[in-house]
Amino acid sequence: MNANTQRGSMGTQVRAVALASGRSLVLALVCLPEAILCYTVAVVSIALVPVVGVGLVTTPWALTWVRSFAGRRRTLAAKWCGIRIPAAYRPVPRDAKPWVRAAAMLRDPATWRDLRWLLVDMTAGYLTALLPAALVLYAVEGFALAAGMWRVYRNATGDTYWYGFVPVTDQTSAFGAAALACVLLTLAYFHTPRLLTNHFRLTRAVLAPSQAELAERVRVLTETRRDAVDSSAAELRRIERDLHDGAQARLVAMGMDLGTVEMLVDKNPEKAKELLAQARRSSAEALGELRDLVRGIHPPVLAERGLGDAVRALALRLPIATEVEVELAGRAQAPVESAAYFAVSEALTNAVKHSGADRIWVDVRHSDGSLRISVTDNGRGGAVIGAGSGLTGLERRLGTFDGVLAVGSPAGGPTMVTMEIPCVLS
């Protein structure tokens, strides 16, 4: 290795040490106060849950803050040290009632793991975060003593300045402190980046989901995949049945009519004209059925103009006055758009058939990495998930994309069906 290569390698290592110590200082000075505040607020809020229900309102906000803080630490672990810490939170619909969200979050094992991690982060995590910066800064202090800082301290207090195990009383002992500082700086040179990595390894050990949780996640994904396969098979059977019983039958009949026309065109022109008119009507009906079938598979307006316009077109065909509000800054992936469109279609169909409503409101927006859709009607209420209702199939459709469904439908109404699908817009 030549001299230039050695200097380059040393320069790279010095930059890595400086960067690791700076990041260590940021973690110790900035993250520790927020960890203490997060933990205190969350614990107090949870403790207030039995007290007149105050905690039911504050707990979702407090735990969302905790999750956000943990998420930022996961980001730093991946960005600074390449350590990836998976998150395994159960989805919680943001538009649900506060007590529904509080109950869902408190049932989530990840919530209690986050709180345990905050305790570790305030103690052992703080020490491991501070150590890389402390090693460098303490070495700098030793050199400052050798440069004469010991005289300032000695003149001000008259006491002996202890640097580690070295009592600094004169310039000779100050040079001894500098020698110890050289040892510390050598340790920092070789180990500071590794010490910062160890801090995030400790974070991963506490914050990462257990194997049991990952196994449960795999089980849920397996079930949703099976539901998706079953739904696709059922959809294919429906398309085949509709083609066989509808358009195909009409096309066969039209072919027979045209064959009869061919035989009658010279012998009985009037009858031939009548059959031609019937064939024309059959072709128009077959074309309409094919268009309906295509619309049921993937509406052209959805492919061409996106989810917002597709939902508006859907609302225009309803017999009930429907208001649609859309706030989308782009388009989701085609499978997500398709799932969201048919979920809205099913929710609207349920509202028209069963709610007795005379007005429906649809709200479509994207925020915080999720597509959120709410369908609200002023009907009689009483809608529930399960018991063979159409909402069960809707929940399965969303589950394929890791989405969630929440239904608020007290007796007497109104009914609000909220859907949430994690996605990004392009």
Side-chain angles (χ1 to χ4, degrees):
M1 182 181 294
N2 58 40
N4 290 333
T5 303
Q6 286 182 333
R7 284 195 295 270
S9 177
M10 289 181 62
T12 301
Q13 182 66 14
V14 168
R15 285 193 294 272
V17 169
L19 189 60
S21 60
R23 289 170 172 174
S24 164
L25 195 61
V26 169
L27 282 173
L29 298 181
V30 176
C31 294
L32 176 65
E34 186 174 359
I36 295 173
L37 194 57
C38 270
Y39 183 79
T40 303
V41 171
V43 169
V44 170
S45 180
I46 293 172
L48 289 176
V49 168
V51 182
V52 200
V54 174
L56 291 175
V57 178
T58 59
T59 295
W61 172 82
L63 293 181
T64 299
W65 183 16
V66 171
R67 292 184 178 190
S68 175
F69 179 60
R72 292 197 299 274
R73 189 62 63 87
R74 290 186 180 94
T75 301
L76 291 180
K79 185 177 180 180
W80 288 356
C81 296
I83 295 176
R84 303 199 175 276
I85 307 173
Y89 299 112
R90 294 175 182 174
V92 179
R94 294 180 180 270
D95 295 332
K97 299 295 184 182
W99 49 89
V100 175
R101 295 181 60 217
M105 297 176 88
L106 290 175
R107 285 196 299 266
D108 190 348
T111 296
W112 305 102
R113 183 173 57 247
D114 285 352
L115 294 177
R116 288 194 300 270
W117 166 72
L118 286 175
L119 278 176
V120 174
D121 196 54
M122 290 185 289
T123 52
Y126 173 71
L127 294 177
T128 57
L130 183 61
L131 187 57
L135 200 58
V136 174
L137 293 176
Y138 200 52
V140 172
E141 181 184 344
F143 294 123
L145 288 172
M149 190 183 76
W150 69 273
R151 290 191 179 90
V152 177
Y153 180 82
R154 181 91 173 177
N155 293 335
T157 65
D159 296 331
T160 299
Y161 193 106
W162 283 88
Y163 181 75
F165 54 83
V166 178
V168 181
T169 58
D170 53 22
Q171 190 60 44
T172 301
S173 57
F175 285 137
L180 178 57
C182 287
V183 174
L184 295 177
L185 196 60
T186 302
L187 291 175
Y189 178 82
F190 288 105
H191 298 293
T192 294
R194 189 180 305 167
L195 290 174
L196 184 64
T197 300
N198 288 338
H199 166 77
F200 286 114
R201 284 175 178 164
L202 175 63
T203 301
R204 180 177 60 185
V206 182
L207 198 55
S210 65
Q211 291 298 320
E213 290 178 77
L214 293 176
E216 173 65 15
R217 179 66 177 154
V218 170
R219 185 190 66 79
V220 172
L221 290 176
T222 301
E223 287 186 358
T224 56
R225 183 182 64 180
R226 185 172 60 247
D227 290 339
V229 172
D230 292 343
S231 297
S232 298
E235 188 71 8
L236 287 174
R237 288 193 297 270
R238 181 190 68 82
I239 293 170
E240 182 181 11
R241 184 177 62 252
D242 290 347
L243 283 173
H244 182 271
D245 297 340
Q248 179 179 327
R250 293 189 184 280
L251 290 173
V252 170
M254 186 173 63
M256 294 174 62
D257 288 342
L258 289 175
T260 305
V261 167
E262 188 178 6
M263 291 186 295
L264 294 177
V265 67
D266 294 325
K267 300 179 180 178
N268 191 346
E270 292 301 324
K271 184 62 175 178
K273 290 180 180 179
E274 181 181 338
L275 291 175
L276 281 173
Q278 182 176 334
R280 186 176 65 251
R281 289 193 299 270
S282 296
S283 67
E285 291 172 355
L287 182 60
E289 290 178 355
L290 288 173
R291 285 174 176 167
D292 291 338
L293 186 61
V294 169
R295 188 180 296 113
I297 299 171
H298 193 77
V301 66
L302 179 62
E304 296 170 4
R305 302 178 61 179
L307 181 62
D309 286 338
V311 172
R312 291 188 182 98
L314 194 63
L316 289 174
R317 297 197 297 269
L318 296 178
I320 298 176
T322 303
E323 296 180 15
V324 179
E325 184 175 348
V326 178
E327 290 185 14
L328 297 176
R331 295 191 60 173
Q333 295 179 341
V336 174
E337 281 193 336
S338 180
Y341 172 84
F342 286 110
V344 173
S345 176
E346 191 165 346
L348 290 174
T349 300
N350 289 338
V352 171
K353 288 183 176 180
H354 308 297
S355 70
D358 58 15
R359 199 164 192 83
I360 300 174
W361 296 266
V362 182
D363 183 81
V364 183
R365 63 186 68 242
H366 184 274
S367 61
D368 299 330
S370 292
L371 177 65
R372 295 190 180 89
I373 305 171
S374 64
V375 178
T376 308
D377 66 68
N378 62 352
R380 65 177 66 92
V384 293
I385 301 175
S389 72
L391 295 174
T392 303
L394 199 158
E395 186 177 40
R396 288 200 192 97
R397 184 187 294 274
L398 297 178
T400 305
F401 297 88
D402 207 18
V404 292
L405 173 72
V407 178
S409 183
T415 295
M416 174 181 282
V417 177
T418 305
M419 297 161 271
E420 185 174 318
I421 306 175
C423 68
V424 294
L425 300 184
S426 58

